[in-house]
Amino acid sequence: MAARVPFMAAAGLALVVAGLVGLVRMGWVLPALSPALVARHGPLMVSAFLGTLISLERAVGLGKSWAYVAPAFGAAGSVMLLAGLPDLVAAAVFSAAATTLVAAFGAIYRIRPNRPNAVLALAAAMWLGGNVAWGAGVAMPLVVVWWSAFLVLTIAGERLELARIRTRAALAELAFFAASGAVALGPVISLATAPAGIAVTGAGLAGLGAWLVRYDIAWRTVRLPGLSRYIAWCLLPGYFWLIAGGVAWVLGPGVWGGGVYYDAMLHAVFLGFVMSMIFGHAPVIVPALLGVPVPYSRRLYAPLVLLHASLVSRIAGDLLLWMPLRLWSGIANVVAVLGFLAVLALTARTAGRLSSQK
């Protein structure tokens, strides 16, 4: 367990710095952050933080020592980004991490050859494609399309395995894979024609969001007490954010790449969907990764509510061109994420103290 702590620490530091540079990109002044670091908000959030954690989770699940090469490369890439090494070097290291993750999912698929694991392997391949594109000099807004596919397909593949409890209808599965195919195909198309690729990806995102709203077991678990209900309340709003973001991508590829409307389109997916999923799954994943108990606490709802409320106000500020609302909403976004980490740490510390007293 202790050997996993450096991976978690590197990912956590990347998350904190990504949040701070995100504020600078919005207009806040934080002199301690260099311009080069500010430009790395996306890589820090996706590859350094999420890529490292997803790789570590899969390595633990597979139980093979070679699979830990992926989070090791992810942590190394995180340090390289924070240290200011060239993008090409960091992209190469993250590509090595993604390649190992693809191999890990291939091994998992050989053990359990089912559709969810195939989707998860495809998701890892999208991370690899995005890292290679980044290293090749593709513009970051197009790299982000690849990385969004990585994260959304990872979450969708995990939820598919649970959703199969509710339905085995061939039509439902066809709809899922049609939407997943669009999410995976869109980034490839974007390399040739960006507007078409963004629109295709957006259609897939909206389709997956609608599918999850219809079939995910969260509608059942939201009626249960404790942690099950909390997780459901993380998942369900996230699905609606995914639909909204996907529709925005379909309608707005002409403004993709910069500005307040791009900010709204991007963060509906990355904060509204992806971060909400992290809030929901962290109380389950952290104990599995570190062996630290994280019992359910009603305090977890506070950062969750703040996350969604602040995202609503941020997008309102974007659409209305109301900069003060947008700026302060960005602060609230960061407070929600850091507050969530603080609640997790406090809950785990309290549980450990009570356990030691027994």
Side-chain angles (χ1 to χ4, degrees):
M1 294 289 182
R4 303 169 191 171
V5 172
F7 304 143
M8 298 282 288
L13 181 59
L15 172 62
V16 172
V17 175
L20 294 176
V21 300
L23 293 179
V24 175
R25 292 170 68 89
M26 293 184 73
W28 291 101
V29 178
L30 298 174
L33 300 173
S34 68
L37 194 58
V38 172
R40 292 174 166 181
H41 174 67
L44 283 167
M45 183 62 74
V46 177
S47 286
F49 170 54
L50 292 167
T52 301
L53 284 188
I54 291 170
S55 298
L56 179 58
E57 180 190 3
R58 294 303 156 183
V60 172
L62 183 59
K64 301 293 185 181
S65 58
W66 62 264
Y68 285 90
V69 171
F73 274 124
S78 304
V79 173
M80 291 175 181
L81 283 179
L82 295 171
L85 269 67
D87 285 354
L88 181 60
V89 176
V93 173
F94 285 126
S95 295
T99 300
T100 310
L101 184 61
V102 171
F105 276 121
I108 292 171
Y109 184 82
R110 286 192 293 273
I111 297 169
R112 296 184 61 199
N114 57 28
R115 292 184 178 92
N117 285 332
V119 174
L120 292 169
L122 176 62
M126 302 309 294
W127 185 32
L128 174 59
N131 291 334
V132 171
W134 175 32
V138 173
M140 185 54 64
L142 296 183
V143 174
V144 167
V145 181
W146 287 84
W147 285 342
S148 67
F150 160 51
L151 298 174
V152 172
L153 289 176
T154 297
I155 296 165
E158 292 176 343
R159 301 309 300 176
L160 174 62
E161 189 164 17
L162 297 174
R164 288 170 62 87
I165 298 172
R166 293 191 60 190
T167 177
R168 293 181 180 274
L171 185 60
E173 288 196 352
L174 179 62
F176 178 91
F177 287 106
S180 298
V183 171
L185 184 60
V188 179
I189 297 174
S190 72
L191 296 178
T193 169
I198 293 162
V200 169
T201 305
L205 298 178
L208 278 177
W211 193 95
L212 290 165
V213 167
R214 170 63 180 84
Y215 292 109
D216 196 88
I217 62 168
W219 290 113
R220 181 185 304 172
T221 57
V222 76
R223 303 186 185 98
L224 301 176
L227 182 61
S228 296
R229 177 178 293 170
Y230 165 75
I231 293 174
W233 277 117
C234 292
L235 300 179
L236 294 174
Y239 299 156
F240 286 101
W241 278 118
L242 185 60
I243 295 171
V247 170
W249 288 33
V250 172
L251 298 177
V255 297
W256 189 263
V260 292
Y261 299 122
Y262 173 63
D263 179 82
M265 295 162 68
L266 206 60
H267 289 91
V269 175
F270 280 87
L271 280 179
F273 176 67
V274 175
M275 191 57 68
S276 192
M277 300 300 109
I278 294 171
F279 277 25
H281 289 101
V284 178
I285 293 173
V286 170
L289 295 182
L290 296 180
V292 177
V294 183
Y296 165 73
S297 169
R298 286 182 294 179
R299 289 175 293 192
L300 290 167
Y301 280 101
L304 175 65
V305 171
L306 180 59
L307 174 72
H308 290 291
S310 62
L311 181 56
V312 168
S313 62
R314 174 175 180 164
I315 291 178
D318 284 336
L319 299 182
L320 298 174
L321 302 179
W322 188 1
M323 293 303 106
L325 178 61
R326 180 174 181 268
L327 286 171
W328 285 105
S329 298
I331 290 284
N333 292 156
V334 174
V335 170
V337 174
L338 297 183
F340 174 74
L341 296 179
V343 170
L344 276 185
L346 179 62
T347 304
R349 180 181 178 183
T350 301
R353 184 182 302 161
L354 292 175
S355 177
S356 64
Q357 292 174 355
K358 292 181 179 179

